[in-house]
Amino acid sequence: MQLHDAVVLITGANRGIGLEFARAALARGARKVYATARDPESIPLEGVIKLKLDVTCAEDVARIAQQCADVTLLINNAGVARFGSFLANNSEASCIEHFETNFYGPLRLCKAFAPILAGHGGGAIINVLSLVSWYAPVEFSPYSASKSAAWALTNSLRLELRRQNTQVVALHMGYVDTDMTAKIDAPKTPASLIVVRTMDALEAGEEEVLADEMTLTLKRNMNAPRPVYLD
């Protein structure tokens, strides 16, 4: 899919990766960019159409789908990430919060926009995931579980939507230099670079983006042959 003349809708477009996606879409010639957030006034970018959207609210999603019936590219970026393990006192509440935003949010948006994309020839969906889709660090357990579920959702939707010619892209990455990771002392990739690599992959027709070296290394190790031990 090409960005030139596309109509793009981005969730969580008020900061970080979402804001960079909005900038990149404009720079690559998108005809229209819907930038959404819970507080649309917090979106610091001109040239986009700012809309209110809480991805955890089914009514908001239905309203947006009706209002933005010309969308050809959906970018599910809105997400939440909290520290915590499965054995923490608040783990059940944390899991519910993470899944509502990181799994059910994209699910709601994909269901609402799938027929819209079909009506415009197929279009594309980008789901913003993480390298923790593939493993579960203790300090991010609920977040990891929600992203793993979102990865499964992405893989299944790719097969289901192929019949209507919709390109479904999974974006995996490690730490990105945004306010969400400000308190984490680790190497981080600029959000703008993550977005450039994702948009290049989208326009090249790819279905998976491994957007930084940490993610590439993890994926290589996952795919490496493992020895078989026999008793």
Side-chain angles (χ1 to χ4, degrees), residues 20-86:
E20 290 299 329
F21 268 122
R23 290 188 177 121
L26 290 174
R28 295 194 183 213
R31 174 160 44 96
K32 189 184 295 185
V33 178
Y34 296 112
T36 75
R38 289 180 175 177
D39 176 13
E41 295 306 314
S42 67
I43 301 170
L45 182 64
E46 298 303 316
V48 299
I49 300 170
K50 303 175 185 181
L51 298 174
K52 179 185 181 300
L53 172 61
D54 179 350
V55 301
T56 70
C57 175
E59 291 77 13
D60 268 17
V61 172
R63 172 181 51 78
I64 285 291
Q66 185 174 26
Q67 188 173 351
C68 305
D70 53 350
V71 166
T72 60
L73 171 60
L74 168 65
I75 303 178
N76 284 310
N77 166 74
V80 62
R82 314 282 189 210
F83 287 105
S85 74
F86 284 134

Side-chain angles (χ1 to χ4, degrees), residues 212-230:
D212 56 24
E213 188 59 38
M214 184 184 298
T215 306
L216 284 165
T217 299
L218 177 61
K219 192 64 179 288
R220 279 196 297 264
N221 290 338
M222 288 171 58
N223 293 336
R226 288 171 170 78
V228 177
Y229 298 97
L230 301 178

Side-chain angles (χ1 to χ4, degrees), residues 72-184:
T72 60
L73 171 60
L74 168 65
I75 303 178
N76 284 310
N77 166 74
V80 62
R82 314 282 189 210
F83 287 105
S85 74
F86 284 134
L87 298 184
N89 290 335
N90 68 335
S91 61
E92 292 92 339
S94 181
C95 285
I96 290 169
E97 179 188 18
H98 281 90
F99 271 79
E100 271 296 319
T101 302
N102 299 346
F103 175 79
Y104 289 109
L107 174 60
R108 292 183 184 101
L109 268 297
C110 289
K111 287 178 66 177
F113 278 92
I116 293 172
L117 296 174
H120 297 295
I125 298 169
I126 299 173
N127 285 341
V128 178
L129 304 174
S130 168
L131 60 76
V132 300
S133 304
W134 304 322
Y135 82 109
V138 171
E139 65 272 22
F140 287 115
S141 298
Y143 173 72
S144 173
S146 68
K147 287 297 187 179
S148 182
W151 178 44
L153 169 68
T154 303
N155 291 336
S156 182
L157 285 175
R158 182 179 298 119
L159 298 176
E160 188 170 359
L161 295 179
R162 190 163 287 162
R163 70 190 69 169
Q164 68 174 47
N165 199 36
T166 298
Q167 179 184 356
V168 179
V169 180
L171 167 57
H172 296 275
M173 65 218 156
Y175 293 124
V176 182
D177 192 10
T178 67
D179 57 347
M180 184 180 286
T181 63
K183 296 182 180 180
I184 298 174

